[in-house]
Amino acid sequence: IALVIGFQNLYIEPLEKEAQTDMYMAELYFQKDSFNLALNGDGQYLGFVDVADEYSWTKVGELANYYAGLCYLHIGEYENAIEYLEDFSSDDFVLSTLALGCIGDAYMELGDTDNALSNYEDATYNSDNEFTKPKYMIKQAMIHEQNCDYDDALVIYNDIKLNFKTS
């Protein structure tokens, strides 16, 4: 027990603070839509890729995976987006749901509707909130329509109409 507490307090906690400091500029670049700088850094500050690699044991390192996946999604590198988003995990239901949905978006961009549909389904089952669930249900229904599975699409649309009236 003492080893675990010592490891957490003397190693992980300071590492978390260091990671937050190192990721600060990458977050600013992300907010400014400077995705390449956010990913790779600017030579003086680390980018999300380096933060995710150097601080992989920390929550900040996990979050850097999410940010890196979003950056790759925005610049059209969908395979890399999938890789980083799949490496992301979080106890936050909304954030983990958004990550699953973004993986689905990357698969859609690659033309892989089966994997996209699977990830959209995972996203809808991951969290039952009014923000994310209907969003990914609509994307599922659109794939069903694209595949001429109109009955499945109609079931989803009716579910949204019945259970998510404000969406």
Side-chain angles (χ1 to χ4, degrees):
I1 295 174
L3 284 173
V4 171
I5 292 171
F7 180 74
Q8 179 64 34
N9 292 337
L10 299 175
Y11 182 72
I12 296 294
E13 193 173 304
L15 202 58
E16 284 282 352
K17 290 179 183 176
E18 183 180 328
Q20 287 174 340
T21 302
D22 284 350
M23 194 166 81
Y24 176 75
M25 284 304 295
E27 288 176 316
L28 287 179
Y29 287 132
F30 182 83
Q31 290 172 4
K32 295 178 182 179
D33 294 339
S34 298
F35 299 118
N36 284 317
L37 286 172
L39 274 170
N40 303 308
D42 60 6
Q44 185 176 2
Y45 298 100
L46 298 178
F48 293 127
V49 171
D50 291 328
V51 172
D53 185 46
E54 288 186 31
Y55 301 102
S56 61
W57 283 43
T58 67
K59 291 179 182 179
V60 175
E62 283 291 324
L63 187 59
N65 280 318
Y66 176 74
Y67 274 122
L70 291 181
C71 289
Y72 279 123
L73 191 61
H74 282 286
I75 63 173
E77 293 186 24
Y78 304 115
E79 293 89 359
N80 287 331
I82 292 166
E83 178 185 335
Y84 277 91
L85 289 166
E86 284 179 342
D87 285 345
F88 171 72
S89 66
S90 175
D91 295 335
D92 184 304
F93 289 115
V94 174
L95 205 54
S96 61
T97 300
L98 290 171
L100 289 167
C102 287
I103 293 170
D105 292 343
Y107 278 120
M108 277 300 288
E109 292 293 336
L110 292 170
D112 187 347
T113 56
D114 292 337
N115 276 323
L117 181 61
S118 175
N119 278 281
Y120 291 147
E121 288 170 350
D122 290 346
T124 59
Y125 295 120
N126 192 55
S127 179
D128 195 22
N129 69 64
E130 299 230 355
F131 171 66
T132 58
K133 189 164 185 166
K135 174 181 179 174
Y136 295 118
M137 289 174 73
I138 287 172
K139 289 184 179 200
Q140 287 176 58
M142 291 169 58
I143 291 173
H144 286 303
E145 281 187 64
Q146 182 180 347
N147 294 337
C148 298
D149 298 331
Y150 300 115
D151 291 338
D152 291 338
L154 184 60
V155 168
I156 293 171
Y157 287 133
N158 284 329
D159 188 12
I160 294 169
K161 182 179 175 184
L162 180 66
N163 296 312
F164 300 98
K165 294 176 182 171
T166 61
S167 69

PDB file of all heavy atoms in Angstrom, residues 89-117:
ATOM      1  N   SER A  89      -8.449   6.677 -23.644  1.00  0.00           N
ATOM      2  CA  SER A  89      -9.481   6.125 -22.764  1.00  0.00           C
ATOM      3  C   SER A  89      -9.739   7.138 -21.657  1.00  0.00           C
ATOM      4  O   SER A  89      -8.838   7.869 -21.239  1.00  0.00           O
ATOM      5  CB  SER A  89      -9.053   4.780 -22.173  1.00  0.00           C
ATOM      6  OG  SER A  89      -7.954   4.944 -21.312  1.00  0.00           O
ATOM      7  N   SER A  90     -10.989   7.176 -21.230  1.00  0.00           N
ATOM      8  CA  SER A  90     -11.372   8.142 -20.208  1.00  0.00           C
ATOM      9  C   SER A  90     -12.587   7.637 -19.462  1.00  0.00           C
ATOM     10  O   SER A  90     -13.409   6.908 -20.009  1.00  0.00           O
ATOM     11  CB  SER A  90     -11.700   9.490 -20.862  1.00  0.00           C
ATOM     12  OG  SER A  90     -12.190  10.399 -19.914  1.00  0.00           O
ATOM     13  N   ASP A  91     -12.687   8.043 -18.203  1.00  0.00           N
ATOM     14  CA  ASP A  91     -13.878   7.739 -17.415  1.00  0.00           C
ATOM     15  C   ASP A  91     -15.002   8.714 -17.716  1.00  0.00           C
ATOM     16  O   ASP A  91     -16.134   8.496 -17.307  1.00  0.00           O
ATOM     17  CB  ASP A  91     -13.552   7.797 -15.914  1.00  0.00           C
ATOM     18  CG  ASP A  91     -12.573   6.715 -15.503  1.00  0.00           C
ATOM     19  OD1 ASP A  91     -12.503   5.667 -16.188  1.00  0.00           O
ATOM     20  OD2 ASP A  91     -11.854   6.908 -14.494  1.00  0.00           O
ATOM     21  N   ASP A  92     -14.698   9.796 -18.417  1.00  0.00           N
ATOM     22  CA  ASP A  92     -15.694  10.784 -18.795  1.00  0.00           C
ATOM     23  C   ASP A  92     -16.531  10.218 -19.946  1.00  0.00           C
ATOM     24  O   ASP A  92     -16.027   9.984 -21.041  1.00  0.00           O
ATOM     25  CB  ASP A  92     -14.991  12.072 -19.225  1.00  0.00           C
ATOM     26  CG  ASP A  92     -15.963  13.191 -19.538  1.00  0.00           C
ATOM     27  OD1 ASP A  92     -16.848  12.985 -20.395  1.00  0.00           O
ATOM     28  OD2 ASP A  92     -15.835  14.269 -18.942  1.00  0.00           O
ATOM     29  N   PHE A  93     -17.816  10.003 -19.683  1.00  0.00           N
ATOM     30  CA  PHE A  93     -18.675   9.357 -20.679  1.00  0.00           C
ATOM     31  C   PHE A  93     -18.841  10.201 -21.944  1.00  0.00           C
ATOM     32  O   PHE A  93     -18.859   9.657 -23.047  1.00  0.00           O
ATOM     33  CB  PHE A  93     -20.049   9.042 -20.084  1.00  0.00           C
ATOM     34  CG  PHE A  93     -20.014   7.943 -19.074  1.00  0.00           C
ATOM     35  CD1 PHE A  93     -20.311   8.194 -17.752  1.00  0.00           C
ATOM     36  CD2 PHE A  93     -19.680   6.657 -19.443  1.00  0.00           C
ATOM     37  CE1 PHE A  93     -20.264   7.182 -16.813  1.00  0.00           C
ATOM     38  CE2 PHE A  93     -19.624   5.639 -18.517  1.00  0.00           C
ATOM     39  CZ  PHE A  93     -19.919   5.900 -17.195  1.00  0.00           C
ATOM     40  N   VAL A  94     -18.954  11.502 -21.797  1.00  0.00           N
ATOM     41  CA  VAL A  94     -19.147  12.347 -22.972  1.00  0.00           C
ATOM     42  C   VAL A  94     -17.889  12.341 -23.835  1.00  0.00           C
ATOM     43  O   VAL A  94     -17.957  12.151 -25.057  1.00  0.00           O
ATOM     44  CB  VAL A  94     -19.554  13.781 -22.578  1.00  0.00           C
ATOM     45  CG1 VAL A  94     -19.601  14.688 -23.797  1.00  0.00           C
ATOM     46  CG2 VAL A  94     -20.897  13.784 -21.867  1.00  0.00           C
ATOM     47  N   LEU A  95     -16.742  12.522 -23.226  1.00  0.00           N
ATOM     48  CA  LEU A  95     -15.491  12.565 -23.978  1.00  0.00           C
ATOM     49  C   LEU A  95     -15.189  11.214 -24.635  1.00  0.00           C
ATOM     50  O   LEU A  95     -14.793  11.169 -25.810  1.00  0.00           O
ATOM     51  CB  LEU A  95     -14.346  12.979 -23.051  1.00  0.00           C
ATOM     52  CG  LEU A  95     -13.139  13.626 -23.671  1.00  0.00           C
ATOM     53  CD1 LEU A  95     -13.521  14.825 -24.513  1.00  0.00           C
ATOM     54  CD2 LEU A  95     -12.157  14.043 -22.595  1.00  0.00           C
ATOM     55  N   SER A  96     -15.396  10.133 -23.907  1.00  0.00           N
ATOM     56  CA  SER A  96     -15.140   8.816 -24.503  1.00  0.00           C
ATOM     57  C   SER A  96     -16.146   8.517 -25.621  1.00  0.00           C
ATOM     58  O   SER A  96     -15.796   7.885 -26.615  1.00  0.00           O
ATOM     59  CB  SER A  96     -15.158   7.724 -23.444  1.00  0.00           C
ATOM     60  OG  SER A  96     -16.405   7.647 -22.804  1.00  0.00           O
ATOM     61  N   THR A  97     -17.365   9.017 -25.483  1.00  0.00           N
ATOM     62  CA  THR A  97     -18.367   8.848 -26.538  1.00  0.00           C
ATOM     63  C   THR A  97     -17.981   9.640 -27.777  1.00  0.00           C
ATOM     64  O   THR A  97     -18.089   9.148 -28.903  1.00  0.00           O
ATOM     65  CB  THR A  97     -19.753   9.293 -26.030  1.00  0.00           C
ATOM     66  OG1 THR A  97     -20.103   8.485 -24.905  1.00  0.00           O
ATOM     67  CG2 THR A  97     -20.809   9.155 -27.099  1.00  0.00           C
ATOM     68  N   LEU A  98     -17.529  10.870 -27.574  1.00  0.00           N
ATOM     69  CA  LEU A  98     -17.087  11.690 -28.709  1.00  0.00           C
ATOM     70  C   LEU A  98     -15.903  11.041 -29.426  1.00  0.00           C
ATOM     71  O   LEU A  98     -15.815  11.091 -30.658  1.00  0.00           O
ATOM     72  CB  LEU A  98     -16.731  13.099 -28.245  1.00  0.00           C
ATOM     73  CG  LEU A  98     -17.903  13.970 -27.809  1.00  0.00           C
ATOM     74  CD1 LEU A  98     -17.407  15.264 -27.171  1.00  0.00           C
ATOM     75  CD2 LEU A  98     -18.829  14.263 -28.973  1.00  0.00           C
ATOM     76  N   ALA A  99     -15.002  10.431 -28.672  1.00  0.00           N
ATOM     77  CA  ALA A  99     -13.861   9.751 -29.293  1.00  0.00           C
ATOM     78  C   ALA A  99     -14.329   8.599 -30.170  1.00  0.00           C
ATOM     79  O   ALA A  99     -13.857   8.433 -31.304  1.00  0.00           O
ATOM     80  CB  ALA A  99     -12.893   9.249 -28.222  1.00  0.00           C
ATOM     81  N   LEU A 100     -15.278   7.805 -29.668  1.00  0.00           N
ATOM     82  CA  LEU A 100     -15.825   6.701 -30.473  1.00  0.00           C
ATOM     83  C   LEU A 100     -16.496   7.229 -31.737  1.00  0.00           C
ATOM     84  O   LEU A 100     -16.345   6.664 -32.821  1.00  0.00           O
ATOM     85  CB  LEU A 100     -16.819   5.885 -29.646  1.00  0.00           C
ATOM     86  CG  LEU A 100     -16.231   5.036 -28.530  1.00  0.00           C
ATOM     87  CD1 LEU A 100     -17.333   4.529 -27.605  1.00  0.00           C
ATOM     88  CD2 LEU A 100     -15.436   3.876 -29.110  1.00  0.00           C
ATOM     89  N   GLY A 101     -17.235   8.307 -31.595  1.00  0.00           N
ATOM     90  CA  GLY A 101     -17.889   8.901 -32.750  1.00  0.00           C
ATOM     91  C   GLY A 101     -16.890   9.432 -33.761  1.00  0.00           C
ATOM     92  O   GLY A 101     -17.092   9.301 -34.977  1.00  0.00           O
ATOM     93  N   CYS A 102     -15.811  10.023 -33.283  1.00  0.00           N
ATOM     94  CA  CYS A 102     -14.773  10.528 -34.195  1.00  0.00           C
ATOM     95  C   CYS A 102     -14.072   9.385 -34.920  1.00  0.00           C
ATOM     96  O   CYS A 102     -13.695   9.537 -36.092  1.00  0.00           O
ATOM     97  CB  CYS A 102     -13.769  11.388 -33.439  1.00  0.00           C
ATOM     98  SG  CYS A 102     -14.426  12.994 -32.958  1.00  0.00           S
ATOM     99  N   ILE A 103     -13.923   8.259 -34.267  1.00  0.00           N
ATOM    100  CA  ILE A 103     -13.370   7.083 -34.946  1.00  0.00           C
ATOM    101  C   ILE A 103     -14.316   6.678 -36.076  1.00  0.00           C
ATOM    102  O   ILE A 103     -13.884   6.377 -37.187  1.00  0.00           O
ATOM    103  CB  ILE A 103     -13.141   5.914 -33.961  1.00  0.00           C
ATOM    104  CG1 ILE A 103     -12.042   6.259 -32.967  1.00  0.00           C
ATOM    105  CG2 ILE A 103     -12.785   4.633 -34.721  1.00  0.00           C
ATOM    106  CD1 ILE A 103     -11.912   5.276 -31.802  1.00  0.00           C
ATOM    107  N   GLY A 104     -15.613   6.714 -35.778  1.00  0.00           N
ATOM    108  CA  GLY A 104     -16.606   6.434 -36.819  1.00  0.00           C
ATOM    109  C   GLY A 104     -16.501   7.417 -37.970  1.00  0.00           C
ATOM    110  O   GLY A 104     -16.580   7.025 -39.148  1.00  0.00           O
ATOM    111  N   ASP A 105     -16.311   8.689 -37.661  1.00  0.00           N
ATOM    112  CA  ASP A 105     -16.159   9.706 -38.709  1.00  0.00           C
ATOM    113  C   ASP A 105     -14.939   9.419 -39.581  1.00  0.00           C
ATOM    114  O   ASP A 105     -14.997   9.571 -40.807  1.00  0.00           O
ATOM    115  CB  ASP A 105     -16.036  11.095 -38.092  1.00  0.00           C
ATOM    116  CG  ASP A 105     -17.317  11.578 -37.430  1.00  0.00           C
ATOM    117  OD1 ASP A 105     -18.404  11.016 -37.696  1.00  0.00           O
ATOM    118  OD2 ASP A 105     -17.220  12.535 -36.622  1.00  0.00           O
ATOM    119  N   ALA A 106     -13.837   9.018 -38.954  1.00  0.00           N
ATOM    120  CA  ALA A 106     -12.623   8.711 -39.717  1.00  0.00           C
ATOM    121  C   ALA A 106     -12.861   7.517 -40.640  1.00  0.00           C
ATOM    122  O   ALA A 106     -12.454   7.532 -41.812  1.00  0.00           O
ATOM    123  CB  ALA A 106     -11.460   8.437 -38.766  1.00  0.00           C
ATOM    124  N   TYR A 107     -13.530   6.491 -40.123  1.00  0.00           N
ATOM    125  CA  TYR A 107     -13.846   5.341 -40.987  1.00  0.00           C
ATOM    126  C   TYR A 107     -14.763   5.741 -42.134  1.00  0.00           C
ATOM    127  O   TYR A 107     -14.613   5.257 -43.264  1.00  0.00           O
ATOM    128  CB  TYR A 107     -14.465   4.200 -40.177  1.00  0.00           C
ATOM    129  CG  TYR A 107     -13.445   3.336 -39.475  1.00  0.00           C
ATOM    130  CD1 TYR A 107     -13.446   3.205 -38.092  1.00  0.00           C
ATOM    131  CD2 TYR A 107     -12.484   2.626 -40.190  1.00  0.00           C
ATOM    132  CE1 TYR A 107     -12.518   2.407 -37.438  1.00  0.00           C
ATOM    133  CE2 TYR A 107     -11.548   1.829 -39.551  1.00  0.00           C
ATOM    134  CZ  TYR A 107     -11.574   1.718 -38.184  1.00  0.00           C
ATOM    135  OH  TYR A 107     -10.654   0.927 -37.542  1.00  0.00           O
ATOM    136  N   MET A 108     -15.718   6.630 -41.868  1.00  0.00           N
ATOM    137  CA  MET A 108     -16.594   7.101 -42.948  1.00  0.00           C
ATOM    138  C   MET A 108     -15.781   7.806 -44.029  1.00  0.00           C
ATOM    139  O   MET A 108     -16.028   7.602 -45.219  1.00  0.00           O
ATOM    140  CB  MET A 108     -17.665   8.054 -42.401  1.00  0.00           C
ATOM    141  CG  MET A 108     -18.867   7.373 -41.805  1.00  0.00           C
ATOM    142  SD  MET A 108     -19.775   6.318 -42.941  1.00  0.00           S
ATOM    143  CE  MET A 108     -20.544   7.523 -44.004  1.00  0.00           C
ATOM    144  N   GLU A 109     -14.844   8.628 -43.619  1.00  0.00           N
ATOM    145  CA  GLU A 109     -14.005   9.328 -44.591  1.00  0.00           C
ATOM    146  C   GLU A 109     -13.167   8.355 -45.411  1.00  0.00           C
ATOM    147  O   GLU A 109     -12.839   8.637 -46.561  1.00  0.00           O
ATOM    148  CB  GLU A 109     -13.100  10.347 -43.896  1.00  0.00           C
ATOM    149  CG  GLU A 109     -13.834  11.516 -43.287  1.00  0.00           C
ATOM    150  CD  GLU A 109     -14.488  12.430 -44.319  1.00  0.00           C
ATOM    151  OE1 GLU A 109     -14.034  12.454 -45.486  1.00  0.00           O
ATOM    152  OE2 GLU A 109     -15.459  13.111 -43.955  1.00  0.00           O
ATOM    153  N   LEU A 110     -12.835   7.220 -44.817  1.00  0.00           N
ATOM    154  CA  LEU A 110     -12.065   6.197 -45.537  1.00  0.00           C
ATOM    155  C   LEU A 110     -12.960   5.296 -46.386  1.00  0.00           C
ATOM    156  O   LEU A 110     -12.462   4.423 -47.094  1.00  0.00           O
ATOM    157  CB  LEU A 110     -11.266   5.344 -44.538  1.00  0.00           C
ATOM    158  CG  LEU A 110     -10.131   6.058 -43.818  1.00  0.00           C
ATOM    159  CD1 LEU A 110      -9.573   5.190 -42.692  1.00  0.00           C
ATOM    160  CD2 LEU A 110      -9.028   6.434 -44.807  1.00  0.00           C
ATOM    161  N   GLY A 111     -14.281   5.494 -46.274  1.00  0.00           N
ATOM    162  CA  GLY A 111     -15.223   4.681 -47.044  1.00  0.00           C
ATOM    163  C   GLY A 111     -15.544   3.344 -46.410  1.00  0.00           C
ATOM    164  O   GLY A 111     -16.153   2.484 -47.047  1.00  0.00           O
ATOM    165  N   ASP A 112     -15.166   3.133 -45.172  1.00  0.00           N
ATOM    166  CA  ASP A 112     -15.407   1.875 -44.457  1.00  0.00           C
ATOM    167  C   ASP A 112     -16.671   2.034 -43.601  1.00  0.00           C
ATOM    168  O   ASP A 112     -16.601   2.282 -42.400  1.00  0.00           O
ATOM    169  CB  ASP A 112     -14.198   1.541 -43.596  1.00  0.00           C
ATOM    170  CG  ASP A 112     -14.285   0.172 -42.938  1.00  0.00           C
ATOM    171  OD1 ASP A 112     -15.371  -0.437 -42.935  1.00  0.00           O
ATOM    172  OD2 ASP A 112     -13.250  -0.280 -42.410  1.00  0.00           O
ATOM    173  N   THR A 113     -17.826   1.862 -44.232  1.00  0.00           N
ATOM    174  CA  THR A 113     -19.088   2.103 -43.529  1.00  0.00           C
ATOM    175  C   THR A 113     -19.378   1.056 -42.455  1.00  0.00           C
ATOM    176  O   THR A 113     -20.056   1.376 -41.478  1.00  0.00           O
ATOM    177  CB  THR A 113     -20.269   2.174 -44.515  1.00  0.00           C
ATOM    178  OG1 THR A 113     -20.315   0.976 -45.289  1.00  0.00           O
ATOM    179  CG2 THR A 113     -20.151   3.375 -45.433  1.00  0.00           C
ATOM    180  N   ASP A 114     -18.866  -0.151 -42.613  1.00  0.00           N
ATOM    181  CA  ASP A 114     -19.108  -1.181 -41.592  1.00  0.00           C
ATOM    182  C   ASP A 114     -18.454  -0.803 -40.263  1.00  0.00           C
ATOM    183  O   ASP A 114     -19.086  -0.874 -39.210  1.00  0.00           O
ATOM    184  CB  ASP A 114     -18.599  -2.547 -42.059  1.00  0.00           C
ATOM    185  CG  ASP A 114     -19.409  -3.109 -43.217  1.00  0.00           C
ATOM    186  OD1 ASP A 114     -20.588  -2.706 -43.376  1.00  0.00           O
ATOM    187  OD2 ASP A 114     -18.870  -3.948 -43.975  1.00  0.00           O
ATOM    188  N   ASN A 115     -17.183  -0.410 -40.313  1.00  0.00           N
ATOM    189  CA  ASN A 115     -16.507   0.009 -39.082  1.00  0.00           C
ATOM    190  C   ASN A 115     -17.063   1.324 -38.555  1.00  0.00           C
ATOM    191  O   ASN A 115     -17.129   1.531 -37.347  1.00  0.00           O
ATOM    192  CB  ASN A 115     -14.997   0.131 -39.309  1.00  0.00           C
ATOM    193  CG  ASN A 115     -14.295  -1.203 -39.169  1.00  0.00           C
ATOM    194  OD1 ASN A 115     -14.645  -2.019 -38.327  1.00  0.00           O
ATOM    195  ND2 ASN A 115     -13.302  -1.428 -39.998  1.00  0.00           N
ATOM    196  N   ALA A 116     -17.457   2.212 -39.450  1.00  0.00           N
ATOM    197  CA  ALA A 116     -18.065   3.479 -39.024  1.00  0.00           C
ATOM    198  C   ALA A 116     -19.355   3.190 -38.265  1.00  0.00           C
ATOM    199  O   ALA A 116     -19.572   3.727 -37.174  1.00  0.00           O
ATOM    200  CB  ALA A 116     -18.338   4.372 -40.227  1.00  0.00           C
ATOM    201  N   LEU A 117     -20.195   2.337 -38.831  1.00  0.00           N
ATOM    202  CA  LEU A 117     -21.463   1.989 -38.180  1.00  0.00           C
ATOM    203  C   LEU A 117     -21.222   1.352 -36.824  1.00  0.00           C
ATOM    204  O   LEU A 117     -21.885   1.693 -35.835  1.00  0.00           O
ATOM    205  CB  LEU A 117     -22.279   1.045 -39.075  1.00  0.00           C
ATOM    206  CG  LEU A 117     -23.631   0.615 -38.556  1.00  0.00           C
ATOM    207  CD1 LEU A 117     -24.548   1.819 -38.360  1.00  0.00           C
ATOM    208  CD2 LEU A 117     -24.268  -0.388 -39.510  1.00  0.00           C
TER     209      LEU A 117
END
